[in-house]
Amino acid sequence: MRIVKNTKYVLVCFFVLISEMIFGRYLEIGGIVPMLSFCLCLATAMVEDEPKYIIFQAIALGALLDAFSGRGFGTYTITFFLASSASYMIRDSFFSSKALLLICDVFVMTLFSSFVFWLFNVWNVGSGFFWMLRSIALPQAGYNIIVSLIFY
């Protein structure tokens, strides 16, 4: 049974990563692209009971996105790991409905990941934090909520 579960996780991760790399620009709305891998990590953190799957998936997808994006290795890996771990730890604490928690969680964690990405990669370029929040992070959070509900 464990081999079947491991195989399913690897295939789903591979499919989502390939979809994000190939078709990501076709999902663009108003210049905002959803983070499919991030949404998958957060949705997995809501439904999976074994933390090793959540941690492995977050680190693997983050590292692969770091390697493929070329924007500085470690940003996606750290962000995916921290967001998935936090989501797993708080999933039974606030709401009885996991769908409602997923909506709130994806919104907050998308803002967190945008802040981390801005902090590590963009702040020294001169783009302001509030500009990034208004024009990138908030629209992307809304888009990620829709994608996460589909994954959930």
Side-chain angles (χ1 to χ4, degrees):
M1 280 304 228
R2 200 164 265 239
I3 293 173
V4 172
K5 188 174 184 178
N6 292 343
T7 305
K8 286 180 185 178
Y9 272 109
V10 168
L11 289 176
V12 167
C13 290
F14 179 74
F15 175 73
V16 168
L17 186 67
I18 294 298
S19 298
E20 187 170 1
M21 291 290 126
I22 294 174
F23 303 114
R25 289 289 157 199
Y26 298 112
L27 300 173
E28 178 180 332
I29 296 176
I32 303 299
V33 179
M35 297 169 52
L36 300 177
S37 301
F38 186 71
C39 295
L40 178 65
C41 288
L42 293 180
T44 302
M46 289 294 136
V47 298
E48 182 58 50
D49 290 329
E50 294 185 44
K52 69 178 180 177
Y53 288 113
I54 297 165
I55 291 170
F56 177 75
Q57 181 183 38
I59 291 174
L61 284 175
L64 287 171
L65 272 178
D66 278 333
F68 290 143
S69 70
R71 294 186 181 135
F73 194 77
T75 307
Y76 287 119
T77 306
I78 291 169
T79 304
F80 283 21
F81 172 73
L82 291 175
S84 295
S85 299
S87 298
Y88 175 73
M89 286 186 233
I90 66 166
R91 71 180 184 175
D92 296 326
S93 302
F94 292 107
F95 301 107
S96 59
S97 168
K98 289 198 190 236
L100 182 60
L101 177 62
L102 180 68
I103 290 170
C104 296
D105 185 52
V106 168
F107 183 78
V108 170
M109 292 303 169
T110 301
L111 295 180
F112 167 72
S113 70
S114 296
F115 174 72
V116 169
F117 188 76
W118 175 81
L119 189 65
F120 285 160
N121 299 313
V122 182
W123 72 274
N124 56 359
V125 176
S127 296
F129 174 73
F130 291 107
W131 174 85
M132 181 274 305
L133 185 68
R134 180 178 39 87
S135 60
I136 297 172
L138 290 174
Q140 189 175 43
Y143 203 175
N144 282 348
I145 288 171
I146 295 167
V147 171
S148 294
L149 288 174
I150 293 170
F151 282 149
Y152 181 71

